Amino acid sequence: MLSNQSTPAEIYKLGLAYYEGDSVPQNYDKAFELFQKAANQKYSDAQFNLGVMYENGIGIDQNYEKAMQWYLLAADNGDFEDQNNIGSLYYFGKGVDQNYDKAFEWYKKAADQGVGVAQLNMGGLYENGYGVPQDCDTAFEWYTLAADNGDFDAQNNLGTFYENGYSVPQDYDKALEWYTKAADQGLDLAQLNIGGLYENGNGVPQDYDTAFEWYQKAADQGNQEASNRIGRLVMNDKIDDTGITIYSTQETGLTLGDLEGSLSE
């Protein structure tokens, strides 16, 4: 319960409970109202969450310009995660003209404060040469910082660098190590990549059944490339197709075996 003496932190905490449905029914309208009360008292976490709601259209019409306004206010109050989100608005040109230089500026502010996703984004800028000269060595350094902060996308990227020998000697063992860190957090792309190592016998004994198991984890999350690779394994008689679902046509209930049968008729 709130009173006229409630602090911005208390108001924000109740808003967060409504936002997450924690101990109260989830109610984005209530969350927005409470975040706004706390944000108007310069509470940076509330300002950040208002930006998130406007950016993603959660409980309010999507509005990138208003998202930027709230992110900037939170950033002025020292919120580092906001700085990353401002960078992303510039990176994608949402509510502002696309500007990689501005994206770099804001990503670096957050990355220098240890925000893992901002470190990931810095790596992406350097890997692709967006707003900076392309530099895979520097990209690797930023990805390593992000990966050490637990960012699974960065962990997967490091796996890719080691698998392909980008800026580092090719090392399938290290590739598997980093892919596994990301896959254990549920990243479908890392699960796909582990499947690829097993299918091709890179750094591990070639094992089509294990490849299938990893592809299936990724396919269950909607990864179409994983579904395609499962189909390829079956069509090449590498695995038993009994009961394997065609993930892209789940609504039909077809299995790969059914499909093969219909094609041969």
Side-chain angles (χ1 to χ4, degrees), residues 97-227:
D97 292 334
Q98 189 178 51
N99 188 322
Y100 292 133
D101 291 336
K102 283 282 190 182
F104 176 91
E105 175 188 336
W106 284 101
Y107 283 153
K108 193 166 189 306
K109 288 176 186 286
D112 286 344
Q113 300 298 325
V115 177
V117 67
Q119 294 166 337
L120 167 74
N121 290 332
M122 287 292 293
L125 292 178
Y126 277 106
E127 181 180 359
N128 296 289
Y130 294 154
V132 291
Q134 190 175 40
D135 185 337
C136 287
D137 291 341
T138 303
F140 182 85
E141 292 172 5
W142 282 111
Y143 286 150
T144 300
L145 289 171
D148 288 341
N149 272 329
D151 188 284
F152 50 72
D153 287 311
Q155 292 167 347
N156 179 71
N157 289 357
L158 287 181
T160 300
F161 270 51
Y162 277 112
E163 181 179 1
N164 295 286
Y166 298 152
S167 296
V168 290
Q170 189 176 52
D171 188 328
Y172 292 126
D173 291 336
K174 282 192 174 292
L176 179 61
E177 176 186 338
W178 283 110
Y179 285 151
T180 301
K181 288 178 185 289
D184 286 347
Q185 294 189 70
L187 183 64
D188 62 302
L189 186 55
Q191 295 163 346
L192 173 76
N193 289 333
I194 294 174
L197 293 179
Y198 278 102
E199 181 179 359
N200 296 297
N202 290 334
V204 291
Q206 191 172 49
D207 187 329
Y208 296 120
D209 290 331
T210 302
F212 165 72
E213 291 172 6
W214 283 105
Y215 288 153
Q216 189 172 44
K217 290 176 186 288
D220 284 343
Q221 296 191 71
N223 188 299
Q224 187 58 53
E225 175 60 23
S227 296

